[in-house]
Amino acid sequence: MTTQITPRARVCVLISGNGSNLQALIDACAKNEIAADIIHVISNRADAFGLQRAQQAKIPTSVLDHKAFADRAAFDDALADLIARCQPDWVVLAGFMRILTPAFVQRFLGKLINIHPALLPKHPGLNTHARALAAQDTEHGATVHFVTPTVDAGPAIIQGVLAITPAESVESLEARVHQLEHQIYPIALAALVAGDVHYAHGQAVWADSNTPKIICQPSA
Ligand code: GRF
């Protein structure tokens, strides 16, 4: 009898800063909760703390400084070539603070994912926690989504939802959403790697349903 060894998915993670979501993914891969290896971490900033997290986990890193390129298209071309050389199955944006060109997105469409700190389609863009409070939302959370050419508009794979408490501040909300992100990003990547969900015709298609999975976190 021959033993079949299922190859682990190859994941390339793009960061710009702290990398706490990267850490959650590193930990989940190490615990085998995701059948994948993070094979490369790329940052556009040399001082991103996430680079140290990757090095600690013995993951190769690269810094590609966007300021060294003439324009966004030139940076994105170089970034796409660097990623392609790693031959990843999945490209994961984890706090990568650059808007990507449609050409870049097209090159990795269907295997490029992002996490956004709001319940999309509510609050795309920046300052999501302050905006959720200003809008007097009763719920807030985070969304993992496929990346499509329009920023923060790709189909949701999974959302984590929390109830906004009366005493909530931007800081408390940010901390709670961050925690939720660390739960849902590994779940989303594990589902993608396992083939439980895939991208088709602008939709995230789950094998067992068409709706994003919602995880509720009890209010603090
Ligand atoms: C997260 O809030 C994520 O939703 C957003 O950028 C932040 C990154 O945080 N895209 P970290 O670097 O993973 O700690």
Side-chain angles (χ1 to χ4, degrees), residues 15-23 53 93-97 114-118 129 142-143 174 177-178 181-182:
I15 60 167
S16 298
N18 177 24
S20 67
N21 280 287
L22 165 67
Q23 188 68 58
R53 297 181 188 269
L93 307 181
F96 186 63
M97 301 305 285
N114 181 42
I115 189 158
H116 180 76
H129 311 305
T143 304
E174 185 175 12
V177 169
H178 232 142
E181 291 184 336
H182 303 156

Side-chain angles (χ1 to χ4, degrees), residues 88-106:
D89 299 301
W90 302 100
V91 181
V92 172
L93 307 181
F96 186 63
M97 301 305 285
R98 300 278 310 162
I99 291 175
L100 295 162
T101 54
F104 179 98
V105 171
Q106 206 54 47

